[in-house]
Each structure stands twice: as C-alpha cells, then as structure tokens.
C-alpha cells in the first residue's frame, strides 16, 4: 500500500498542503510544533476515520475555521484509490472512496491500512487494559469489517445495559429488558473474543520475534490473552463460546445489580505482556517498555502483510530520537519493504535513511 500524494485544507495547523511521497521512506523533519505529527495523523485518519490523539473530529479542524478537507491518492490491491474526508463543526464527517460516499468508516477497511507508532505508545505497556484493548481493536477493525461491525454493536449494547443497571433502582421495570441485552451482548461478545484470540495468537508469533532481534536475543517477550474466566478456548467459534459467556453473566448477575455496572464480558479483556516471564507493565525499564511497544506494533505490521499480501503504511512519530544507534539501525532494517513516514527533528538523521525523500515542515507548510 502506498500513499502517493496528499492534500490538506484547514487540517490542524495546515492552511493548505499538497505533497507527493516516495513509495519507500519519507522523512518529515522540522522543529517542534511545526506540524510533523499533524501530517502523520492526516494519513492515519484516512485509514480508519479516527485519530490517535483527538477524541472528537472537531479538534482536527483548524482553529477559527468551520471545516477541514483531506484527500489522498492511494495505490492498494493493484488499483488506484482517491480517498477523501470532509469534516464540519457540528456535523458528522463525510468520507468518499473514488467519489463514492461511504456509509461507515468500516468501508475504508482494507484500502489504506496503517500502523502508527508514537511516543504515547509507551502506554501500551504501562497503562491499564483499555489501552491494549484499543490497540487490538484498531488492528482487527482494519483487517476484518465483521469485527468492526460487532464492536460497534457491542459498544451500543454496553451503553444501554449500563443505563439499565444504573437506573433500575428508580425504574425497576427496566429490568424486563435485561435478559435480552445479556443474550445479545453474549452473542456479540463471543464474536469479539473469537477474533481477538486469533489475532493474539498471530501476534504472539510475530512480536516476540521482533523483540528478540531488537534485544540481540537477550530478552523474551510473551503475550497472553486474558478474557472472560469461563472461556476455556477463546479461539473456538462464537457459537461454542456463547454458553460460557452466558454462564459467566449468570454468576455475576447479582453483583452487576449491586454494583450497577456491567461486570461480565470482553469489555474487560486484556493482553498480558511479559518480558522474561515477568509483567512488563510492572517491571520493564524505560528502554524495555519502548522496545516492547515497538515490537507489538511491528508485529501487527507483519500480520497485516501476511493477511493482505501488502505492507501497511508505517507511520513512525519521534521514534529514532529515543533509541541508541544500534536500535535505530535495527528499526531501519526491519522496516524495509513497505512505505514509511518517519518524523524527526534533526536533519542529519534524515540523511542516514537512504533512498527516500525528505520533507521539511515549518509552521504548517512545506519548505
Ligand atoms: P513535535 O516535534 O513537538 O512533536 P510537531 O511538528 O509534531 O512537533 P504537531 O503536533 O504536528 O507538531 O503540532 C503542530 C502545531 O499544530 C501545534 O503548535 C499545535 O498547537 C497546532 N495545532 C493543533 N491542533 C490545531 C488546530 N485544530 N488548529 C490549529 N493548530 C493546531
Ligand atoms: Mg510531533
């Protein structure tokens, strides 16, 4: 997959930008706060219609302006695609692929897949389970539209069930609907667990291999899927998982009513990450944390490649600055193959990156 060119209007601090890119390495350099991350964010937005650092689309629109526009020329699956997104304050964003309006973000799936690594990804190791679920969801949604649909449905059911559990003491009749919600959440939840288990099995092959190379064979990364306790084999088909989920709900029924919260289901899943047999979250050093997080992302990139036959576009934000020479060289050799966008502050580093193109960004413009 290759982003040949991009056009931005009123995206973050860009008034207007038109740029065409190398199919190999693109180095985006510039001082702090000039728009390097904003450019990577624009590429990522066209793959999932969401941003890793904006909660609401309106944050992406330039201050004082009421709309933003993005367009990319993408080569994928041996075809050319024109992807467009239009954001409006107070309105839902609109997406087009080759001029055809898309109904959901899921329809973008498979056109432009991206893997982004940024400094905040240290949270993938350090923070709570929600960060790791988000990583899993982002990856699997890009690969499997059915998963994206199930996830959206599960979130909707979860919100409604949460409302029932919150309000039932004042409105006991709400409980009439609880069994129905439990059944639908278990059915949808079973789909999520099944897909997550398969993704994690593959990630548990690829990411440790990356980490082993990265650490010169000195450290062993291991991954384990933690889901609803009654599920013995999460990779089983959803139909087989369903009874275990219903059983878990049943034994937590009273606790849910007492706590007035959803306690049973894959919205509590985690991906346990260990280094040499101990929890990375609790014990990893700064460098180990960074390496482990990068290994997860590069592992996901390899899954995408094996799944689709094409390298996803790799977006590396501020990665090199934090690594020593040996690890920098390792990253640069590991990422050969697909298209890469890499941001950095110092220009001399850009020169070591070989045959790609370098771009200099100042105040939201190419110079
Ligand atoms: P660093 O090297 O520090 O990571 P950067 O080049 O990656 O810097 P960006 O994160 O891309 O910097 O941000 C550039 C600037 O964009 C910031 O000064 C920020 O205030 C500005 N900015 C962010 N959102 C908007 C917006 N909606 N409208 C206008 N400007 C914005
Ligand atoms: Mg930045």
């Amino acid at each position: 997959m290759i982003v040949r060119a991009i056009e931005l209007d009123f995206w973050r601090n860009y008034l207007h930008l038109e740029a065409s890119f190398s199919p190999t390495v693109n180095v985006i350099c510039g001082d702090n706060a000039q728009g390097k991350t904003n450019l990577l964010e624009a590429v990522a937005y066209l793959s999932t219609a969401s941003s890793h650092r904006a909660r609401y689309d309106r944050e992406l629109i330039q201050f004082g302006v009421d709309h933003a526009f993005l367009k990319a020329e993408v080569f994928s699956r041996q075809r050319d695609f024109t992807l467009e997104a239009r954001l409006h304050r107070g309105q839902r964003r609109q997406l087009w692929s080759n001029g055809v309006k898309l109904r959901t973000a899921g329809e973008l799936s498979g056109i432009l897949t991206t893997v982004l690594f940024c400094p905040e990804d240290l949270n993938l190791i350090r923070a709570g389970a929600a960060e790791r679920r988000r990583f899993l969801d982002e990856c699997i949604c890009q690969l499997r539209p059915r998963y994206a649909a199930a996830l959206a449905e599960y979130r909707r059911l979860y919100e409604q069930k949460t409302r029932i559990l919150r309000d039932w003491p004042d409105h006991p009749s709400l409980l009439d609907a609880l069994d129905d919600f439990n059944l639908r959440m278990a059915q949808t939840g079973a789909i999520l667990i099944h897909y997550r288990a398969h993704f994690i099995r593959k990630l548990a092959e690829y990411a440790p291999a990356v980490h082993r190379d990265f650490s010169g064979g000195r450290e062993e990364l291991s991954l384990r899927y933690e889901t609803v306790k009654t599920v013995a084999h999460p990779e089983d088909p959803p139909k087989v998982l369903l009874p275990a989920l219903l059983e878990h709900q049943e034994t937590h029924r009273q606790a849910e009513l007492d706590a007035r919260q959803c306690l049973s289901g894959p919205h509590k899943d985690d991906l346990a990450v260990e280094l040499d047999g101990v929890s990375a979250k609790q014990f990893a050093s700064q460098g180990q944390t960074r390496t482990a997080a990068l290994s997860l992302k590069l592992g996901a990139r390899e899954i995408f490649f094996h799944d689709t036959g094409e390298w996803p576009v790799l977006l590396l934000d501020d990665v090199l600055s934090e690594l020593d020479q040996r690890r920098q060289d390792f990253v640069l050799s590991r990422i050969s193959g697909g298209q890469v966008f890499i941001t950095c502050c110092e220009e001399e580093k850009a020169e070591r990156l070989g045959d790609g193109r370098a771009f200099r960004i100042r105040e939201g413009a190419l110079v």
Side-chain angles (χ1 to χ4, degrees), residues 274-289:
E274 292 184 350
L275 281 176
D276 293 332
V278 296
S279 159
K281 176 171 155 63
Q282 283 169 286
F283 297 108
S285 74
Q286 191 108 332
Q288 285 176 316
T289 302

Side-chain angles (χ1 to χ4, degrees), residues 142-155:
Q142 289 199 58
L143 287 170
R144 298 283 181 270
R146 183 166 177 233
Y147 182 86
L151 185 65
E153 170 74 358
Y154 189 85
R155 286 185 175 147

Side-chain angles (χ1 to χ4, degrees), residues 48-111:
T48 58
S50 66
S51 153
H52 65 294
R53 55 178 189 168
R55 189 146 173 207
Y56 301 104
D57 281 347
R58 60 173 181 268
E59 296 165 41
L60 306 167
I61 303 171
Q62 188 156 104
F63 302 141
V65 181
D66 66 355
H67 69 282
F69 175 70
L70 322 181
K71 176 172 164 182
E73 302 296 337
V74 174
F75 184 70
S76 159
R77 298 185 257 160
Q78 308 300 318
R79 286 173 55 196
D80 287 310
F81 290 86
T82 302
L83 299 179
E84 290 163 288
R86 192 174 287 280
L87 314 182
H88 265 282
R89 286 189 200 278
Q91 284 174 36
R92 209 174 123 74
R93 49 113 184 89
Q94 297 175 300
L95 306 166
W96 291 266
S97 169
N98 288 339
V100 178
K101 192 157 172 194
L102 306 182
R103 281 178 304 117
T104 64
E107 291 178 49
L108 282 174
S109 163
I111 302 176

Side-chain angles (χ1 to χ4, degrees), residues 48-232:
T48 58
S50 66
S51 153
H52 65 294
R53 55 178 189 168
R55 189 146 173 207
Y56 301 104
D57 281 347
R58 60 173 181 268
E59 296 165 41
L60 306 167
I61 303 171
Q62 188 156 104
F63 302 141
V65 181
D66 66 355
H67 69 282
F69 175 70
L70 322 181
K71 176 172 164 182
E73 302 296 337
V74 174
F75 184 70
S76 159
R77 298 185 257 160
Q78 308 300 318
R79 286 173 55 196
D80 287 310
F81 290 86
T82 302
L83 299 179
E84 290 163 288
R86 192 174 287 280
L87 314 182
H88 265 282
R89 286 189 200 278
Q91 284 174 36
R92 209 174 123 74
R93 49 113 184 89
Q94 297 175 300
L95 306 166
W96 291 266
S97 169
N98 288 339
V100 178
K101 192 157 172 194
L102 306 182
R103 281 178 304 117
T104 64
E107 291 178 49
L108 282 174
S109 163
I111 302 176
L112 170 61
T113 43
T114 55
V115 173
L116 169 80
F117 185 78
C118 60
E120 293 90 327
D121 280 328
L122 297 186
N123 290 332
L124 209 47
I125 306 298
R126 291 235 173 102
E131 283 294 323
R132 287 176 292 282
R133 283 194 299 273
R134 196 155 75 108
F135 164 64
L136 295 173
D137 290 342
E138 276 168 9
C139 290
I140 309 170
C141 281
Q142 289 199 58
L143 287 170
R144 298 283 181 270
R146 183 166 177 233
Y147 182 86
L151 185 65
E153 170 74 358
Y154 189 85
R155 286 185 175 147
R156 209 175 51 77
L157 294 167
Y158 173 84
E159 271 175 36
Q160 285 168 332
K161 182 175 162 186
T162 301
R163 231 172 290 141
I164 294 176
L165 290 170
R166 193 191 58 201
D167 298 340
W168 75 267
D170 297 329
H171 307 280
S173 66
L174 286 173
L175 292 180
D176 297 346
L178 192 59
D179 283 338
D180 185 41
F181 274 102
N182 274 343
L183 176 63
R184 283 154 69 199
M185 272 181 84
Q187 286 166 332
T188 324
I191 299 172
L192 301 187
I193 292 173
H194 170 77
Y195 279 103
R196 285 178 181 172
H198 278 267
F199 182 79
I200 291 170
R201 182 169 52 77
K202 283 186 243 155
L203 194 63
E205 286 171 34
Y206 293 114
V210 177
H211 193 93
R212 218 172 289 132
D213 288 356
F214 219 146
S215 64
R218 277 175 291 129
E219 284 168 17
E220 192 59 32
L221 177 79
S222 54
L223 303 176
R224 197 180 57 253
Y225 182 27
E226 293 180 346
T227 185
V228 178
K229 290 280 179 304
T230 48
V231 171

Side-chain angles (χ1 to χ4, degrees), residues 12-13 31-38 53 59 61-63 318 345:
R12 297 271 197 193
N13 69 334
D31 292 338
N32 292 133
Q34 303 303 306
K36 303 183 298 295
T37 301
N38 293 346
R53 55 178 189 168
E59 296 165 41
I61 303 171
Q62 188 156 104
F63 302 141
D318 268 344
C345 284

